[in-house]
Amino acid sequence: MDEASDVMPSELPIERRQRHTRDRTTSLNSLSHFKSGPSKHIRPRSTLRNRGSNASMKSIGSETDHSEIIAPIPRRHLLQTSQSLHWLRVDTSSGDEWPNRGVSPVSASSVGSVFPNNRMGNRLSFTALMEYEGTTAGPSSMVDVRVVEDDQGTVGAERRFVRWMHRNNMKNWVVPLAIAASTLVKWCIGFGTYSGHDTPPMFGDYEAQRHWMELTVHLPVKEWYTYDLQYWGLDYPPLTAYVSWLCGRIGVLIESSWFTLQASRGIETGGSKLFMRATVLVLDLLIYIPALYTFVCAWQGTRSSRKRHAALLTLLFHPALLLIDFGHFQYNSVMLGLTLFAINAFAAGHDLLGAIFFVLSLGFKQMALYYAPAIGSYLIGKCIYLGPIHGTRLFLRLALTTTLAFVIMFAPFLPPFSPLSTIAAPITRIFPFGRGLFEDKVANFWCFTNVLVKWKQIFASREGVLIKVSTVLTALGFLPAVAALIFGGYKTRLQKDAQTDSVDVSPSMAPAEPSSPTPILPLLPYALLTCSMSFFLFSFQVHEKTILVPLLPLTLLLSGAAPTDDVFLWGALGNNVGVFSMWPLLKRDGLGLQYLAMLLLWNRLIGYNPFKLYYGYFVGLVSSVVHTAIILLHLLEFAVTPPARYPDLFPVLNVLICTPIFGLIWLWSIKRSVEVSWAISGLPGKREKEGSSSAASGISATSSSIAFGHSPMHGETGVRAMSLGYASGRGRGQADARRRALEVSAGGDREH
């Protein structure tokens, strides 16, 4: 913001003329807006920066005060006043002048609701939590950041492509071309082999998925989970069975021999393989890609279209998912896509719809349970945030909706459609407690420590003890995320007016309270990462492919970060190590070429150099060491044959390299949750002392509604400051500044 130091109307009182220069500056909406107002107090040589905002505190021509030009500060800047909150990385002003500045009003979002009937249109985005994530503070223009990134070589191919498309007026083609390119890459991966290719008698996951289509088409529902369990018995939830039945029905119409009961086992004709590959691709196009696009719109709607397009490209070419679904052969994108739809619905305030989507995700693959603690804690935290009346109402609706969704999903296994005993078969198959703690070499706590402590031998006759220990460790692992969400909802809960015994909210917010975004929403991606990584590290019966579950929230966070940010570096490292952790599986499947190609392509796209050291970043040093170890292990595996005494030497070394990185990412996610939660506890609406008045706490729930963007001004349906940047620290001066700023904002809204 340029300072108009030469603006000093002579008719102002002396005490007002002596005020800080920042109190006499302004931000203008547009040049036309500037010219429309009176200019008798503005000298022609004054240069004022055009902020491009859709709303301002007061226009220059305001009838209430012609003699003073107010320089507001956006609410998203206030959290930057504390050095301990440097991780928000939004533009800041110097610490000695910020308390004297006002709060800019709500500005309209350029992105409409991605869900219908959204009365709020507002987003609580986590984008500002990582967009300028770095250790150095201070204002910088976007042009400067881009130039620095170009000089450092950190701009990836995707950003260069998006920039070129936008400069040549082809930005409307970015999304279709990105989807088409990713689809082509997925299809090319499918030209390779797959799990169990030409390896009778059991083959692999490809045959398992085909066999489920076979048995669901030919057998009654009550026999789906009991038929010939020794040959790939169905062990996924009912929604997978229903999708298999639908795909099998379509396949039978094309060629019935592909799914003939018993006789089609192990079939690997060209037509059947083409059909099976096509089912994965079609389901990906119908569910996962729309979920990614919706995520970018719902969670990163306040960003520029260039950054949203770059984020979409990052997510479309996720290497681990592409290698497993389109190479190894599975349908993980359906489960992950339904989970994405759930968190997108939460971001839009449609909690019941989000709960239904998450039930569908659980119904497709039980691995979605890794997200359940985070999803459940977020909804509980929102119920606490809304207060006893609205919160209890939302809780009952969620409980009823979730129960009804599960009942409908399992209805074919319940009376009157099937005997009541039928329901036991899918439940025992879905939760395989009898399989033991682990089977293969997986980069988690149990396999890592099994090198020294032989768990299966020590507890040979006491498997139940290991399962209980595993459960306790898993719960302790995700406890910080659960506590952060629930405690955040408690600290930011809407306050009651002591005299009227009603929730003090603005009129525009009152009708839509349960569907409004909550302050704890930015915590959700970190909580998803913490919970899923805790399950991966400490739970029982974890497979290599399960790393896809924690990699989803990690990649979502990465997509909104700058290439030099802490979030980006951890996200890129985690994805590379995640793909490497599946190398033994991909090697067995004959997907070595696809493995190498996808790693090189994705790192080139996002502009990640794993060997580049970033000053002040611990993760940079870790990345260099780990990637060096990965390359050396690959070379060693290529040149040396493992001794007969240690046939699993290289898989064990793989576990020893990957597990510490996953543990560090788990700890880092907890640290980030604590940082975000600490900032949220200072948001407007928190109770500093039980029973204190809104004046004593320095903020009221009305101010909270203003901060969340529920301005009574018509047309202000979106919030540029919805990225958690409107909170301030806990100091007395900071609270006073917040109060004065919000009072000015509320007064400006009333005058308009």
Side-chain angles (χ1 to χ4, degrees), residues 220-238:
V221 174
K222 63 181 180 180
E223 297 183 23
W224 285 0
Y225 286 93
T226 58
Y227 178 78
D228 196 4
L229 300 181
Q230 299 303 316
Y231 187 82
W232 296 116
L234 183 58
D235 57 1
Y236 277 9

Side-chain angles (χ1 to χ4, degrees), residues 86 133 327 577 612:
H86 67 85
E133 190 101 12
V577 175
K612 184 173 183 178

Side-chain angles (χ1 to χ4, degrees), residues 655-681:
V655 169
L656 295 179
I657 292 175
C658 298
T659 305
I661 303 303
F662 295 148
L664 287 175
I665 292 175
W666 168 64
L667 294 174
W668 171 80
S669 68
I670 295 175
K671 169 182 171 289
R672 295 284 299 177
S673 296
V674 172
E675 290 176 339
V676 179
S677 180
W678 183 87
I680 287 176
S681 67

Side-chain angles (χ1 to χ4, degrees), residues 323 579 583 586 591-602:
L323 288 170
V579 175
W583 165 245
L586 298 174
L591 297 172
L593 178 62
Q594 290 86 338
Y595 161 83
L596 180 62
M598 283 306 305
L599 277 179
L600 294 177
L601 172 64
W602 191 72

Side-chain angles (χ1 to χ4, degrees), residues 398-707:
L398 287 169
L400 180 61
T401 301
T402 304
T403 303
L404 186 61
F406 273 114
V407 169
I408 293 175
M409 185 183 305
F410 283 90
F413 304 92
L414 296 172
F417 305 101
S418 299
L420 185 59
S421 59
T422 306
I423 193 63
I427 293 178
T428 54
R429 293 290 299 168
I430 292 171
F431 300 103
F433 293 103
R435 294 186 184 178
L437 188 63
F438 60 89
E439 295 177 356
D440 297 325
K441 300 295 186 297
V442 184
N444 68 355
F445 169 80
W446 300 110
C447 294
F448 181 80
T449 56
N450 191 68
V451 176
L452 298 177
V453 182
K454 304 301 180 182
W455 299 106
K456 290 186 176 181
Q457 297 178 10
I458 296 175
F459 297 91
S461 59
R462 295 175 294 170
E463 285 286 342
V465 176
L466 281 179
I467 293 177
K468 293 178 181 178
V469 173
S470 172
T471 304
V472 171
L473 290 178
T474 304
L476 292 176
F478 64 69
L479 182 61
V482 171
L485 286 168
I486 296 177
F487 183 71
Y490 171 78
K491 291 291 289 185
T492 59
R493 67 195 186 280
L494 298 177
Q495 300 183 25
K496 279 189 174 183
D497 190 301
Q499 297 178 354
T500 62
D501 195 37
S502 61
V503 177
D504 187 12
V505 293
S506 64
S508 61
M509 181 181 179
E513 273 179 356
S515 62
S516 62
T518 62
I520 61 173
L521 187 61
L523 269 174
L524 184 56
Y526 294 103
L528 291 171
L529 175 57
T530 302
C531 293
S532 56
M533 190 61 80
S534 174
F535 272 96
F536 179 81
L537 287 173
F538 305 112
S539 184
F540 63 92
Q541 274 299 309
V542 175
H543 299 278
E544 304 99 319
K545 305 178 290 293
T546 314
I547 192 59
L548 293 174
V549 183
L551 285 185
L552 175 65
L554 185 64
T555 311
L556 297 180
L557 290 166
L558 177 150
S559 68
T564 55
D565 291 349
D566 189 37
V567 174
F568 179 90
L569 298 177
W570 280 111
L573 173 62
N575 273 278
N576 285 343
V577 175
V579 175
F580 172 68
S581 70
M582 296 185 294
W583 165 245
L585 174 68
L586 298 174
K587 181 184 177 182
R588 289 198 304 269
D589 295 340
L591 297 172
L593 178 62
Q594 290 86 338
Y595 161 83
L596 180 62
M598 283 306 305
L599 277 179
L600 294 177
L601 172 64
W602 191 72
N603 282 272
R604 177 59 180 166
L605 279 176
I606 67 174
Y608 178 61
N609 182 359
F611 299 100
K612 184 173 183 178
L613 294 177
Y614 295 88
Y615 178 75
Y617 281 106
F618 169 73
V619 62
L621 178 61
V622 173
S623 174
S624 299
V625 174
V626 169
H627 284 88
T628 301
I630 290 174
I631 293 176
L632 291 177
L633 182 59
H634 278 312
L635 294 176
L636 186 64
E637 189 174 2
F638 178 77
V640 178
T641 302
R645 185 179 178 183
Y646 302 106
D648 296 329
L649 174 63
F650 294 124
V652 170
L653 292 177
N654 184 295
V655 169
L656 295 179
I657 292 175
C658 298
T659 305
I661 303 303
F662 295 148
L664 287 175
I665 292 175
W666 168 64
L667 294 174
W668 171 80
S669 68
I670 295 175
K671 169 182 171 289
R672 295 284 299 177
S673 296
V674 172
E675 290 176 339
V676 179
S677 180
W678 183 87
I680 287 176
S681 67
L683 289 179
K686 78 179 185 70
R687 296 175 187 256
E688 299 199 0
K689 291 183 179 181
E690 195 67 30
S692 62
S693 64
S694 60
S697 62
I699 210 74
S700 65
T702 303
S703 300
S704 175
S705 65
I706 295 173

Side-chain angles (χ1 to χ4, degrees), residues 212 396 433:
W212 294 346
L396 294 176
F433 293 103

